[in-house]
Amino acid sequence: MKADRTNDDHDIEDLLRRHAPQVLGALVRRYGHFDPAEDAVQEALIAAAGQWPEDGVPENPRGWLIRVASRRLTDRLRSDEARRRREETVAALTPADAFVAPPPGEGPTGLGGRAPSEDDTLTLLFLCCHPALSPAAQIALTLRAVGGLTTAEIARAHLVEEATMAQRISRAKRAVRGAEFRAPEPEDRDRRLAAVLQVLYLIFNEGYTATAGPELHRTDLAREAIRLTRAVRRLLPQEGRVTGLLALMVLTEARAPARTGPDGELIPLDEQDRALWDRTAIAEGTALAEEALAQGPAGDYQLQAAIAALHDEAERAEDTDWPQILALYELLVHRTPDPAAALGRAVAVAMVHGPRAGLAEVDALAGAGAGVGAGAGAGRYRLDAVRAHLLERAGELDAARVAYRAAAEGTLSEPEARYLRARADRLVP
């Protein structure tokens, strides 16, 4: 039974606006899942805006909205669960190395082969960084289509719910559905290059230090990011940003053999056995870093590569040229608002001027609300971890223990959490 029909769109808009938060509250209270619930409510409101002017406002408009939104939400949750099961099944049945395309020239190609041509891989990479997509969508789609991460892994990397990430990826796919699969024209290629490099760097970082899970290092992702960056460099050999990013990746990955102990435990940089570092890779990365700096004004990647080279060139931790590293960080934070760069500078300040000076920098970052890697909670544990180390160096052991434990609570990486808890336990009186 319907109430009196009304064609007054303004009345309906007011009604919908008044009921929307109540409907969202009802769904979140009943189902949780705030983000998909919000989407479901929006879909119900759109449906109401289309139907009510024609059919009349129902007697219980809030109940109507809750019923429609609940149906949309449950459909969505069922779909997400089915998708997740499909992905898990495929992952279980697929060899581990099948998620990463072999280098061009290795493995079969064409029908029945899994090795795409290098050109195809690059075309896909630039397609995923289509200008019609937001930066967040570009990253998500590339990690899914090129990086081979599951939706759950990408969601963890971005600290959002899996359902939210699935929707983001679906929207991105729809946005590029009509795009032609071909190598971008030079002008278009240059416009997308910054996004491509950012995505490659994020894939590498996820591989070098996994944001969640039992492993600290995901070799497949790190190597895939390096391989793709090499391919981009072959396309743009004179582009300093590309050369700098490749140098940064190679120099960083060169330390990977010494980052974990026999049981997978994390070993911090200053305690690593530097004899295990890959000296061939360090030589290549150092040469690339020098070439990148010679290719034009020093950008973010070139500066970070120069910092990585200084770390790698030190025979012992105490030989590290911290004053020069601090000078490079000063340039870097002047160029970019990246919180990770600011935290790196704080560490350099501590190494040059003492832990108290570094703590002041960390406190300033915390006061400014700077998480490292994201806003409030995402990278907060990195601030806590650095604060803990500096407090320990300053002799404030109780405060250091509290900070270590706070950092351990904040990370989703099991090796990092174990390392931070062990550091805290070591300080128990």
Side-chain angles (χ1 to χ4, degrees):
M1 180 177 180
K2 305 290 184 184
D4 290 340
R5 174 176 176 150
T6 175
N7 289 320
D8 190 331
D9 291 344
H10 292 296
D11 288 347
I12 291 178
E13 287 177 10
D14 290 342
L15 192 62
L16 294 176
R17 192 175 297 113
R18 191 167 64 250
H19 284 305
Q22 300 169 11
V23 175
L24 177 59
L27 260 65
V28 174
R29 186 172 60 254
R30 182 181 301 176
Y31 300 102
H33 305 285
F34 179 86
D35 285 345
E38 190 175 37
D39 289 337
V41 171
Q42 292 301 316
E43 291 178 12
L45 294 173
I46 291 171
Q51 293 182 32
W52 291 2
E54 295 297 327
D55 300 341
V57 177
E59 286 185 344
N60 181 358
R62 187 175 65 176
W64 189 98
L65 289 167
I66 291 175
R67 187 168 60 254
V68 172
S70 297
R71 194 158 53 234
R72 301 289 171 88
L73 178 58
T74 52
D75 288 348
R76 165 84 177 281
L77 295 177
R78 288 194 191 101
S79 174
D80 288 341
E81 177 61 21
R83 175 192 50 72
R84 190 175 60 78
R85 285 200 299 269
R86 287 197 301 273
E87 288 184 353
E88 290 175 350
T89 301
V90 170
L93 296 174
T94 304
D97 64 351
F99 288 108
V100 176
E106 294 183 13
T109 58
L111 292 175
R114 69 181 182 85
S117 74
E118 185 171 281
D119 286 346
D120 280 351
T121 304
L122 284 174
T123 300
L124 180 60
L125 183 59
F126 279 87
L127 176 65
C128 290
C129 296
H130 195 282
L133 301 177
S134 68
Q138 290 171 341
I139 293 168
L141 187 59
T142 302
L143 289 173
R144 185 75 188 92
V146 184
L149 272 69
T150 66
T151 304
E153 289 172 322
I154 301 169
R156 282 199 298 271
H158 289 77
L159 299 172
V160 301
E161 289 193 12
E162 184 179 347
T164 301
M165 184 53 70
Q167 188 177 45
R168 184 180 300 173
I169 292 173
S170 295
R171 286 173 179 158
K173 289 177 181 175
R174 286 197 298 271
V176 300
R177 184 172 294 163
E180 188 177 353
F181 188 77
R182 60 176 175 78
E185 298 296 329
E187 183 179 345
D188 198 23
R189 183 186 62 201
D190 292 342
R191 194 165 59 245
R192 299 185 198 181
L193 182 60
V196 167
L197 297 182
Q198 183 185 23
V199 164
L200 290 174
Y201 190 33
L202 287 169
I203 294 174
F204 175 79
N205 281 338
E206 179 61 24
Y208 192 70
T209 303
T211 51
E215 303 294 335
L216 181 69
H217 188 238
R218 292 192 57 181
T219 305
D220 53 350
L221 283 182
R223 289 181 177 173
E224 178 69 355
I226 291 175
R227 187 183 73 79
L228 289 171
T229 306
R230 288 188 192 280
V232 176
R233 185 166 182 266
R234 280 192 286 274
L235 189 67
L236 300 168
Q238 302 302 319
E239 173 56 64
R241 290 175 294 173
V242 181
T243 308
L245 178 59
L246 180 58
L248 173 60
M249 289 180 178
V250 170
L251 287 164
T252 305
E253 182 68 5
R255 303 183 211 123
R259 291 183 71 220
T260 53
D263 298 321
E265 68 272 23
L266 186 155
I267 300 176
L269 181 62
D270 61 345
E271 297 177 14
Q272 291 175 10
D273 179 0
R274 299 184 179 218
L276 297 177
W277 288 2
D278 185 339
R279 293 294 165 187
T280 301
I282 290 173
E284 181 198 3
T286 301
L288 285 168
E290 292 172 352
E291 183 179 340
L293 290 171
Q295 285 178 327
D300 296 356
Y301 297 127
Q302 293 97 314
L303 291 171
Q304 291 182 72
I307 291 170
L310 287 171
H311 280 297
D312 287 12
E313 288 169 353
E315 294 290 335
R316 304 173 301 167
E318 54 268 36
D319 296 335
T320 305
D321 189 347
W322 283 106
Q324 192 169 348
I325 289 175
L326 176 57
L328 290 168
Y329 269 120
E330 296 285 4
L331 293 173
L332 189 59
V333 298
H334 182 70
R335 285 182 45 86
T336 174
D338 181 9
L343 189 58
R345 177 185 170 277
V347 172
V349 167
M351 298 306 294
V352 174
H353 300 297
R356 299 286 178 194
L359 281 168
E361 297 292 334
V362 171
D363 289 343
L365 289 174
V372 178
R380 178 75 192 193
Y381 84 93
R382 294 196 187 279
L383 277 174
D384 288 329
V386 170
R387 179 186 287 108
H389 279 287
L390 297 183
L391 286 168
E392 183 179 355
R393 285 187 56 206
E396 297 185 34
L397 303 187
D398 289 341
R401 186 169 58 251
V402 171
Y404 276 128
R405 287 178 175 158
E409 289 296 317
T411 180
L412 298 175
S413 165
E414 294 173 22
E416 282 189 325
R418 284 197 300 272
Y419 163 77
L420 292 164
R421 283 195 292 268
R423 299 289 294 208
D425 292 344
R426 197 177 62 174
L427 301 180
V428 172

